[in-house]
Amino acid sequence: MIDKERLFSRLQEIEAELGLPSVFENQKRFRGLSQEHARLSEQKEIWEKLSSAQKELEENRSLLSSEKEAEMISLLQEEISRLELLIQTLSGQLEELLVPPDPNDNRNIILELRAGTGGDEAALFVADCARMYLNYAGSKGWKVEVISASPSELGGYKEYILSVSGQNVYRLMQYEAGTHRVQRVPETETQGRVHTSAITVAVLMEPSEDEPIQIEEKDLRIDTYRASGAGGQHVNRTDSAVRITHIPTGTVVACQEERSQHKNKEKAMRLLSARIAEEVRNKAHSEMSAVRLSQVGSGDRSERIRTYNFSQNRITDHRINLTLYKLDRVMEGDLDGVTVPLVNHFHKLRLSS
């Protein structure tokens, strides 16, 4: 858990340094100290709340063991249940804060969701997961922009691509990459049989100012075409949709979300830059090649990082053997119960290796 004495001592050191007029002369140092102060202050606040709740829980349990009155026993049991839930929540928050920050934590990402095995049902699950991530982003105060979406006939999406930016976006979203398997009875199923489908999710960091991606105009083939959409949605009568092919790598991106060809080209170029930046990083760090491969996958049912079982209201992340019986809440965007344990798990793995 947390070393209280060390935490309080470090906080006092930082506060003393931030109080010196000379600290403003080095803006990089000032920003670093300010960020560390904010993180340690939050740790201290949650630790104090957790300690208080634990003490209160012990007192209530002690009272319960000697209580004879039925009404008072009921009240104590109710309060104990509330405190146990609060302690669980605070422990999770503290565990997340104890994972030290990474330079990439706040990097913008491009999130790509694609239908795999399962046809129309997989496309519908892409729509469900896109909504889940949009709700999660909303709860975190992140900014989201749709880069590209390819609707399916039944109201799902063959592909859905988002740009997401904000505090801790990459920290919390990086482990969403992989194949997500869904088990449920499709709306079109008349016999009530459970079907298994799969979608793939890829998480790409957008290039930062420190890693400019040089894309030569001569290496691009740009095609324009008329946008299409389910039921005539987002359709206009001009060739506003843009498809860009990066000839040296064969990478193809497309965007038709905007009515303006210029805006569609701008979004498509961002997506292209992110994909090429990912390839550059993979070449520089060969160990990441396997990560990219696992992100994209084939969309086959056998490759999966997570299973969503609707009949049992169960979500299982197979990498960390995590099973939660609150799939309904997760699909509404309550994802911290999955993302935070993943951040903690992979941090421990890095430490041990």
Side-chain angles (χ1 to χ4, degrees):
M1 194 47 85
I2 196 165
D3 185 338
K4 182 179 72 167
E5 299 304 323
R6 188 176 173 187
L7 169 65
F8 290 175
S9 174
R10 179 61 186 149
L11 258 177
Q12 288 173 349
E13 286 175 18
I14 294 171
E15 285 168 356
E17 192 166 348
L18 285 171
L20 298 172
S22 57
V23 74
F24 297 103
E25 293 170 9
N26 185 336
Q27 281 298 304
K28 187 177 179 181
R29 173 73 177 157
F30 174 69
R31 281 195 302 271
L33 286 170
S34 299
Q35 288 169 359
E36 188 182 359
H37 184 269
R39 184 168 60 87
L40 294 179
S41 296
E42 195 174 358
Q43 282 182 14
K44 180 186 174 186
E45 182 185 352
I46 291 174
W47 183 85
E48 287 174 341
K49 285 180 181 176
L50 181 60
S51 297
S52 174
Q54 287 169 335
K55 184 180 177 184
E56 202 176 334
L57 179 63
E58 285 176 19
E59 290 171 355
N60 278 291
R61 281 176 174 164
S62 177
L63 287 170
L64 182 64
S65 65
S66 59
E67 185 59 53
K68 299 290 188 287
E69 193 180 329
E71 189 179 344
M72 196 62 189
I73 287 171
S74 177
L75 284 171
L76 284 168
Q77 287 173 335
E78 194 177 305
E79 183 63 7
I80 284 168
S81 295
R82 184 191 71 81
L83 287 166
E84 285 174 342
L85 188 62
L86 176 62
I87 287 167
Q88 186 182 346
T89 301
L90 290 170
S91 296
Q93 290 175 353
L94 188 57
E95 198 175 347
E96 180 191 357
L97 285 168
L98 290 174
V99 175
D102 183 275
N104 291 324
D105 281 349
N106 299 326
R107 290 282 292 274
N108 298 350
I109 63 164
I110 286 180
L111 188 67
E112 302 180 348
L113 292 79
R114 289 190 180 81
T117 307
D120 288 329
E121 174 61 13
L124 287 168
F125 192 54
V126 167
D128 292 337
C129 287
R131 180 173 169 271
M132 172 182 76
Y133 289 130
L134 286 167
N135 286 343
Y136 187 50
S139 73
K140 295 291 182 186
W142 296 340
K143 181 184 175 185
V144 179
E145 187 181 5
V146 178
I147 298 287
S148 175
S150 302
S152 68
E153 291 179 6
L154 295 180
Y157 291 95
K158 299 169 196 170
E159 177 184 84
Y160 203 92
I161 302 176
L162 299 163
S163 163
V164 191
S165 57
Q167 187 176 4
N168 286 330
V169 165
Y170 186 72
R171 179 186 179 93
L172 291 170
M173 290 297 293
Q174 60 185 308
Y175 303 115
E176 291 306 293
T179 298
H180 297 235
R181 184 175 68 171
V182 58
Q183 296 171 328
R184 66 182 175 186
V185 179
E187 291 179 17
T188 53
E189 170 57 58
T190 56
Q191 304 296 318
R193 290 172 299 190
V194 173
H195 288 227
T196 299
S197 309
I199 73 167
T200 60
V201 176
V203 180
L204 311 176
M205 273 194 294
E206 288 205 59
S208 68
E209 293 175 2
D210 298 330
E211 51 169 356
I213 300 301
Q214 298 296 327
I215 299 176
E216 301 285 345
E217 196 73 31
K218 63 181 177 62
D219 290 336
L220 301 177
R221 184 172 72 243
I222 301 175
D223 301 306
T224 57
Y225 56 98
R226 191 159 298 176
S228 61
Q233 292 178 335
H234 310 302
V235 177
N236 56 57
R237 301 182 183 280
T238 61
D239 292 345
S240 61
V242 174
R243 182 188 300 108
I244 302 177
T245 305
H246 185 247
I247 298 164
T249 61
T251 306
V252 180
V253 296
C255 183
Q256 63 173 33
E257 291 307 297
E258 304 289 343
R259 293 187 179 275
S260 155
Q261 188 183 112
H262 174 74
K263 286 182 179 177
N264 280 327
K265 182 182 175 184
E266 185 182 312
K267 283 187 174 183
M269 284 300 295
R270 280 175 60 196
L271 179 55
L272 179 65
S273 296
R275 287 191 186 166
I276 291 174
E278 182 77 0
E279 292 302 319
V280 169
R281 290 185 207 110
N282 286 346
K283 286 176 183 176
H285 308 282
S286 58
E287 70 273 11
M288 285 182 65
S289 297
V291 175
R292 174 59 180 159
L293 184 64
S294 70
Q295 285 191 14
V296 177
S298 66
D300 184 78
R301 277 187 291 252
S302 61
E303 299 176 5
R304 80 244 190 258
I305 60 161
R306 193 175 295 157
T307 297
Y308 303 72
N309 186 304
F310 277 74
S311 62
Q312 297 177 18
N313 196 32
R314 169 171 56 83
I315 181 168
T316 302
D317 195 289
H318 304 287
R319 295 164 294 180
I320 56 175
N321 297 318
L322 172 72
T323 297
L324 301 171
Y325 288 89
K326 57 170 193 174
L327 179 57
D328 52 345
R329 285 166 54 192
V330 169
M331 295 310 296
E332 290 298 319
D334 184 7
L335 259 174
D336 273 343
V338 181
T339 57
V340 172
L342 283 164
V343 170
N344 297 334
H345 170 78
F346 285 104
H347 171 65
K348 287 171 187 170
L349 270 187
R350 282 193 294 272
L351 285 179
S352 63
S353 62

